[in-house]
Amino acid sequence: MKSLIDILDLTVEELDELIATAQDIIANPQKYAEACRGLKLASLFFEPSTRTRMSFEAAMYELGGNVISVTGAGTSSAAKGESVADTAKTVSCYTDIIAIRHPKEGAAYVTAKNATIPVINAGDGGHCHPTQTLADLLTIWREKGRFTNLTIGVCGDLKFGRTVHSLINAMSRYEGNKFVLISPEELKVPSYVKKDVLQQKHIPYVQTTDLMAVMPELDILYMTRVQRERFFNEEDYLRLKDSYILTVDKLKTAKPDLAILHPLPRVNEISVAVDDDPRACYFKQVLNGKYMRMALILKLLKEAGKLN
Ligand code: NCD
């Protein structure tokens, strides 16, 4: 694997390896503190980000490497009309690995095709977000100790929520999992995800609009934000934005060992009072993301022959 564009670019064995490396980093951070000395990460973020960009940058610094960044299309030559392909060729001259977030679906793929260094997709439009899935997987692993036989509820904007698409792809490769897809009618999982992943792999799933009806059966509840920036009109956003708000009260019927995940940022879909519930895992998920990105950077730089 030269680049990570889609979560399925990683085999199940490679995912296991990344999880093992991340856990070793957690246990022995000093062992990795100089691992990327002299190497540079290009952090190219053409869309807003707090966690993903900062966690890539923190990851590279904690590996002893350096970071050069572009934040916002307005400050780079993209604003002058430069193509993603030309940006990729240029950035390859200065750095050793690229993390790119872009509003267009497929932009990370085009970057990887044109770069001479490894490329990591940090989110391409409403398509996918594989490194968020790495954060999600380490969280599920640390909370549940398994990737199998889980009832996974995903709730909110399942249409535009790219993290959901990558998570469904990833968890569909393990035995015995079942998906409960909770969304308003207008924000259902795209049919390509249903057809090419769930149906093709014979994964059991149900679609519902009613979170409370399914709450008691869930092992994982993955909440998401309604993706305002991907709507064609504001009226639809305003009508749908408050479809699901998770409160302490609504968790009364949930399993005692439910794991509540959210890729963040949260708008109002999880009430702040839920943060004190031991089942809330979303800030642990943030930290797990940094460790998985460290493991991924190490793997890609090794495979590119830049590290031993
Ligand atoms: C997600 C994203 O960018 O898709 N955020 C993140 O990277 N943690 C989710 C979102 O923006 O709602």
Side-chain angles (χ1 to χ4, degrees):
M1 183 195 54
K2 184 180 163 292
S3 290
L4 178 69
I5 306 306
D6 188 286
I7 192 69
L8 298 184
D9 294 340
L10 289 163
T11 63
V12 166
E13 292 71 29
E14 286 175 315
L15 273 171
D16 288 347
E17 254 173 63
L18 287 179
I19 291 200
T21 306
Q23 289 187 304
D24 195 48
I25 294 170
I26 294 168
N28 308 292
Q30 70 295 340
K31 197 169 122 191
Y32 296 87
E34 299 290 325
C36 292
R37 180 66 62 216
L39 297 176
K40 279 172 267 155
L41 167 89
S43 142
L44 309 181
F45 278 71
F46 299 110
E47 259 195 349
S49 172
T50 300
R51 271 150 296 274
T52 306
R53 182 174 67 79
M54 290 185 74
S55 73
F56 267 115
E57 297 184 1
M60 193 56 170
Y61 284 124
E62 289 185 30
L63 292 168
N66 290 301
V67 177
I68 308 181
S69 60
V70 167
T71 48
T75 61
S76 76
S77 285
K80 300 181 185 174
E82 183 168 66
S83 68
V84 170
D86 285 359
T87 304
K89 288 177 188 160
T90 302
V91 174
S92 299
C93 299
Y94 303 139
T95 61
D96 302 286
I97 186 165
I98 296 174
I100 180 166
R101 167 169 292 188
H102 198 282
K104 289 230 171 79
E105 289 78 6
Y109 174 78
V110 173
T111 305
K113 278 267 170 232
N114 288 279
T116 55
I117 57 177
V119 173
I120 302 172
N121 182 4
D124 61 330
H127 182 221
C128 62
H129 191 350
T131 65
Q132 179 60 47
T133 304
L134 297 181
D136 304 341
L137 290 178
L138 182 58
T139 308
I140 294 171
W141 186 255
R142 295 180 86 187
E143 297 302 315
K144 293 280 164 199
R146 66 183 200 277
F147 289 141
T148 53
N149 301 314
L150 293 165
T151 298
I152 305 159
V154 281
C155 176
D157 186 346
L158 311 188
K159 180 180 180 188
F160 297 118
R162 56 192 172 193
T163 65
V164 168
H165 308 155
S166 295
L167 182 70
I168 291 176
N169 259 297
M171 293 306 285
S172 291
R173 293 201 285 186
Y174 301 98
E175 292 286 304
N177 291 333
K178 179 181 162 192
F179 286 95
V180 183
L181 307 173
I182 310 145
S183 75
E185 282 297 322
E186 294 92 329
L187 298 179
K188 281 176 162 169
V189 168
S191 56
Y192 79 88
V193 175
K194 271 184 285 200
K195 275 225 295 278
D196 301 348
V197 186
L198 295 170
Q199 288 162 12
Q200 206 199 319
K201 295 188 174 165
H202 307 289
I203 310 294
Y205 72 94
V206 291
Q207 297 188 100
T208 177
T209 55
D210 189 349
L211 171 61
M212 290 315 294
V214 295
M215 186 70 91
E217 52 187 281
L218 305 180
D219 298 306
I220 293 167
L221 173 56
Y222 194 95
M223 294 295 295
T224 62
R225 165 181 78 89
V226 178
Q227 308 273 303
R228 180 178 206 160
E229 66 276 30
R230 309 209 195 283
F231 274 69
F232 293 111
N233 70 67
E234 183 75 0
E235 257 168 55
D236 287 345
Y237 169 73
L238 293 173
R239 185 165 48 80
L240 295 168
K241 73 182 177 64
D242 298 327
S243 299
Y244 301 99
I245 298 176
L246 186 65
T247 59
V248 171
D249 202 46
K250 286 185 186 158
L251 283 166
K252 280 195 180 128
T253 59
K255 287 188 181 174
D257 64 346
L258 171 73
I260 307 165
L261 276 67
H262 190 310
L264 304 179
R266 151 174 65 185
V267 182
N268 63 345
E269 57 282 349
I270 301 181
S271 105
V272 175
V274 173
D275 299 2
D276 296 329
D277 189 306
R279 293 171 288 188
C281 300
Y282 27 93
F283 287 107
K284 294 188 206 168
Q285 209 176 336
V286 173
L287 188 57
N288 288 334
K290 183 185 71 177
Y291 295 125
M292 285 303 266
R293 289 181 177 107
M294 288 172 81
L296 178 66
I297 290 170
L298 285 173
K299 177 178 171 60
L300 291 175
L301 287 174
K302 256 186 214 152
E303 288 179 10
K306 306 232 180 193
L307 288 178
N308 298 321

